[in-house]
Amino acid sequence: MIPYATDQRLLVARDITRIQQLERMRRDFVANVSHELRTPLTVVAGYLETLLDDDSDEAARRWHKMLKAMYEQSHRMQGIVEDLLMLSRLETQAQPEQQQPVAVPGLLAQVREDAQRLSGEQGHQISLEADPEVWLQGSESELRSLFSNLAFNAVRYTPAGGRIRMRWYADAQGAHFAIQDTGIGIAAHHIPRLTERFYRVDVGRSRGSGGTGLGLAIVKHVLLRHDGQLDIDSQPGQGSTFRCDFAPARVYRQARAAAV
Ligand code: ADP
């Protein structure tokens, strides 16, 4: 309502029922499609895996290449379906599943190990510096997904042997997770769009390294639900830094003595 003329008021009302219905239909549709696809995909991928393991005769060996391609593609589809389901859970549930103090330093140590495993023979040097006293109020599974997505991206977009540095610390502005890589970097004009679903700088490279195009969309949603913000700083050919800032109210100080 706004003042109008001398002693009148102008009231503007807008019926948004239809917009809300459309929004809900879109969310339900994505969730339903993902649920429906999950079971058949699991069956197909499972049988393909069994067939791949069988190299007992000539025919099995001849089929190996095709079966391998089919298995890889079905595995990729499983990844997309899992990520879509995760996104639809993040969108439909008002609050994170469990709100509890999460031991972020321990969680990050696991994520570091998973990232090192993903790197495998590429031998990335992945370091972690984490303040053991800084914990966060939130959902452990959602935060795991957030940190893993950023860490796996750093591995996937950094050439073999590159360096990846993870830091977890707190200051007067809150708690921060920063992950810096010496990878391929991102041109400035792509950065504002990176958290859109299926937005990729290089589709071939993303798919080739097992990407679904949904990782940073998940990151954005988890941050929204934890009063956090994402900051991306990158130079093509030099590397990138992704930083998550969490509000001070979320920070949970775990005394060192109690942690032992
Ligand atoms: P994807 O599965 O394609 O990696 P994401 O949503 O996780 O999807 O990321 C979107 C795009 O952002 C990627 O396709 C890639 O182009 C770019 N990107 C993400 N992280 C990095 C990084 N650490 N270095 C360079 N580019 C990155």
Side-chain angles (χ1 to χ4, degrees), residues 8 10 16 38 50 52 54 74 76 82 85 103 120 122 124 128 149-150 161 164 189 192 206-207 244 251:
Q8 295 180 41
L10 177 66
I16 57 160
R38 181 144 72 162
T50 313
L52 262 180
D54 176 21
S74 61
R76 195 163 83 77
E82 289 306 326
L85 281 172
Q122 297 178 72
H124 293 94
L128 168 66
N149 271 304
L150 291 175
I164 295 164
H189 66 278
S206 159
R207 288 203 184 130
C244 306
V251 181

Side-chain angles (χ1 to χ4, degrees), residues 119-141:
S119 163
E121 289 175 1
Q122 297 178 72
H124 293 94
Q125 302 162 43
I126 310 176
S127 66
L128 168 66
E129 300 138 63
D131 184 337
E133 293 183 18
V134 181
W135 290 26
L136 209 61
Q137 196 76 28
S139 150
E140 176 162 354
S141 61

Side-chain angles (χ1 to χ4, degrees), residues 94-105:
Q95 279 299 311
E97 272 165 16
Q98 337 88 5
Q99 291 276 359
Q100 59 190 31
V102 178
V104 175

Side-chain angles (χ1 to χ4, degrees), residues 2-253:
I2 46 175
Y4 183 69
T6 38
D7 55 355
Q8 295 180 41
R9 299 277 185 280
L10 177 66
L11 177 68
V12 182
R14 202 161 132 246
D15 183 356
I16 57 160
T17 315
R18 207 174 134 65
I19 295 174
Q20 278 193 333
Q21 273 172 351
L22 283 171
E23 204 24 57
R24 204 181 53 237
M25 266 169 59
R26 182 188 68 80
R27 284 202 303 261
D28 290 351
F29 178 76
V30 173
N32 289 338
V33 170
S34 314
H35 267 294
E36 296 295 332
L37 288 178
R38 181 144 72 162
T39 311
L41 268 174
T42 310
V43 174
V44 171
Y47 279 128
L48 285 170
E49 199 174 358
T50 313
L51 287 171
L52 262 180
D53 286 343
D54 176 21
D55 56 359
S56 54
D57 59 18
E58 177 60 25
R61 279 192 290 276
R62 215 165 355 112
W63 281 85
H64 190 86
K65 204 171 147 200
M66 283 175 260
L67 289 172
K68 191 158 171 274
M70 286 155 79
Y71 174 68
E72 279 165 8
Q73 293 302 324
S74 61
H75 198 65
R76 195 163 83 77
M77 283 195 268
Q78 280 183 307
I80 296 173
V81 164
E82 289 306 326
D83 278 359
L84 281 173
L85 281 172
M86 174 83 189
L87 265 177
S88 97
R89 270 198 301 274
L90 292 173
E91 267 189 344
T92 43
Q93 290 166 4
Q95 279 299 311
E97 272 165 16
Q98 337 88 5
Q99 291 276 359
Q100 59 190 31
V102 178
V104 175
L107 186 61
L108 287 175
Q110 291 168 17
V111 169
R112 199 203 74 83
E113 275 178 30
D114 293 343
Q116 197 70 65
R117 212 168 299 129
L118 175 69
S119 163
E121 289 175 1
Q122 297 178 72
H124 293 94
Q125 302 162 43
I126 310 176
S127 66
L128 168 66
E129 300 138 63
D131 184 337
E133 293 183 18
V134 181
W135 290 26
L136 209 61
Q137 196 76 28
S139 150
E140 176 162 354
S141 61
E142 290 181 16
L143 290 170
R144 180 188 299 277
S145 182
L146 162 80
F147 298 135
S148 304
N149 271 304
L150 291 175
F152 295 170
N153 277 353
V155 171
R156 291 171 41 234
Y157 298 105
T158 300
R163 268 176 292 113
I164 295 164
R165 182 179 181 210
M166 302 200 278
R167 276 177 303 144
W168 173 247
Y169 55 97
D171 56 23
Q173 278 77 48
H176 313 275
F177 171 68
I179 177 159
Q180 184 182 8
D181 64 51
T182 55
I184 60 172
I186 308 155
H189 66 278
H190 290 296
I191 291 179
R193 300 194 58 191
L194 288 186
T195 58
E196 287 175 22
R197 287 159 198 228
F198 297 114
Y199 187 87
R200 289 126 152 170
V201 175
D202 176 344
V203 177
R205 182 167 184 132
S206 159
R207 288 203 184 130
S209 61
T212 61
L214 296 167
L216 291 180
I218 292 176
V219 165
K220 186 183 87 173
H221 272 277
V222 173
L223 281 173
L224 268 176
R225 290 154 69 83
H226 287 81
D227 306 313
Q229 277 188 342
L230 182 64
D231 181 82
I232 307 171
D233 183 24
S234 187
Q235 291 284 333
Q238 304 284 311
S240 317
T241 302
F242 286 74
R243 199 188 68 231
C244 306
D245 301 318
F246 297 92
R250 284 273 169 182
V251 181
Y252 182 90
R253 283 258 169 207

